[in-house]
Amino acid sequence: MSYVDEVLELVKKKNASEPEFLQAVTEVLNSLRPVVEANEELYRKNAILERITEPDRQIMFRVPWVDDKGQVQVNRGFRVQFNNAIGPYKGGLRLHPSVNLGIIKFLGFEQIFKNSLTSLPIGGGKGGSDFDPKGKSDREIMAFCQSFMTELSKYIGADVDVPAGDIGTGAREIGFMFGQYKRIRGMFEGVLTGKGLTYGGSLARTEATGYGLLYLTEELIKCHGESMQGKTVVVSGAGNVAIYAIQKAHQMGAKCVTCSDSTGWIYDPEGIDVELLKEVKEVKRARLTEYAAARKSAQYHEVSAANRSGAGVWQIKCDIALPCATQNELLLEDAKQLVANGCKCVCEGANMPTTIEATKYLQQNGVWFVGGKAANAGGVATSALEMSQNSERLSWSFEEVDAKLQGIMVNIYHNIDDAAKRYGMEGNYVAGANIAGFEKVVNAMLAQGVC
Ligand code: NDP
């Protein structure tokens, strides 16, 4: 049995009740086969795969808090510190009722490779709670965040583990958590990222994931002898990633003609009006029907049982498709439609928006496909730039952060392209991303001995 298969068996046996974690490990290890086979003896002797699939530690704790009726509520908190071979653990805190240990482990494992790809010194970790922030008052949110941080503060620190936002954890939650950390530990340090601009946050963090996605896409297109100028782009989502992806694509001379939310999608052949979209989504927090009502050229399509959310976006003829909404939103039938319409390039702004079957179909039909691990790494890269600014006790200008972000994304593209070529898989940017991320971490692990 090959070393990869042996370790996959072992991971399955040890983590049988964690399907998401098993899926992530299986996908990553399978794509690493050529690297592992080329170094089998060394990796086996040093138990590299056994070590990289076992978190350094996984912390689970009780989070008691009092709701507005005076009732004590109890949630479960998690922090999985997966691997710190190349830097302090770094990864978001997800607050969502679906959160469990397996999901946090899956996200923490993936984070190791994404963080490594940024070329910045950050290890992999993830955390969160099964707490649902929806419908809670500000006081309840603060009560939860303070209780959560009371326990979490024992395990994190600016040089140890630096959590960030994720689903359900935005600027408000980060603020409450930062305040509690400061109170308990008696120190002001860059222990969390995604902070407000008045207390250590970084300019350009809001734009980072969407802008970064376009910097990488532009480099990919350029290396295939084309430019963004005049390209038609379809985007799904209408949140943080989608809005800034559309904005940057327009600045590059392309035209984005779609966006979507969970209740419907827009086709605007004149090009999405980003200022209007921001007004509807960021200011009014309204549905896309308001966008359609304010813009003559826009066609609105309601989601129905027969019309899956976002699906319509992939029917529109385009050169480039950027899924920026949610997981599993681009299915095999969508991939077929994109290929039939002549789409040349798909880069993922969201995490896992393209199903495995759709990914395979796109790759087999010559579409340049870059997965989220590489394409949306601009968010975490800019969080690492926030850490650098906090360590220096300086704030960089928007232009400075943005220029660094652009350099990082261009570099990521070349790293994943080179890695794929080195192992005879030219054009397979998914394998290239896993390999490039893995190699750096493994070299650091080997250099640091058995730990
Ligand atoms: P937001 O919550 O700001 O936006 C998500 C958007 O997707 C919303 O417009 C939402 O619609 C829409 N959406 C959600 N579910 C569906 C669905 N089932 N069908 C169609 N549309 C849907 O999130 P972000 O933009 O921050 O994140 C988007 C993705 O990018 C996620 O996968 C996230 O993990 C990933 N990501 C984000 C990063 C960041 O820095 N923000 C960094 C790296 C990855 P509605 O308004 O109706 O809820």
Side-chain angles (χ1 to χ4, degrees), residues 86 282 343 376:
I86 62 168
E282 290 185 341
C343 173
N376 71 30

Side-chain angles (χ1 to χ4, degrees), residues 123-143:
K126 196 82 187 185
S129 170
D130 57 2
F131 172 77
D132 185 1
K134 281 212 174 101
K136 303 286 191 301
S137 69
D138 279 358
R139 197 211 59 81
E140 287 175 324
I141 296 282
M142 184 165 73

Side-chain angles (χ1 to χ4, degrees), residues 205 209 238-241 261-262 281 287 309 324-326 349-351 376:
R205 175 60 189 91
T209 308
N240 173 261
V241 179
D261 68 13
S262 46
K281 283 293 172 185
R287 313 305 326 166
S309 178
C324 297
T326 187
N351 284 321
N376 71 30

Side-chain angles (χ1 to χ4, degrees), residues 208-224:
T209 308
Y211 277 23
L213 172 67
L214 266 296
Y215 291 142
L216 182 138
T217 306
E218 184 184 43
E219 188 65 14
L220 165 76
I221 296 271
K222 214 168 80 187
C223 290
H224 286 87

Side-chain angles (χ1 to χ4, degrees), residues 94 114 126 134 166-167 205-206 208-210 236-243 260-264 281 286-288 303 308-311 323-327 329 349-353 372 376-380:
R94 178 169 292 189
K114 181 186 285 195
K126 196 82 187 185
K134 281 212 174 101
D166 190 66
I167 294 171
R205 175 60 189 91
T206 307
T209 308
S236 64
N240 173 261
V241 179
I243 288 173
S260 64
D261 68 13
S262 46
T263 55
K281 283 293 172 185
R287 313 305 326 166
L288 285 174
V303 169
R308 173 170 50 83
S309 178
C324 297
T326 187
Q327 64 274 4
E329 53 158 328
N351 284 321
M352 253 181 8
N376 71 30
V380 72

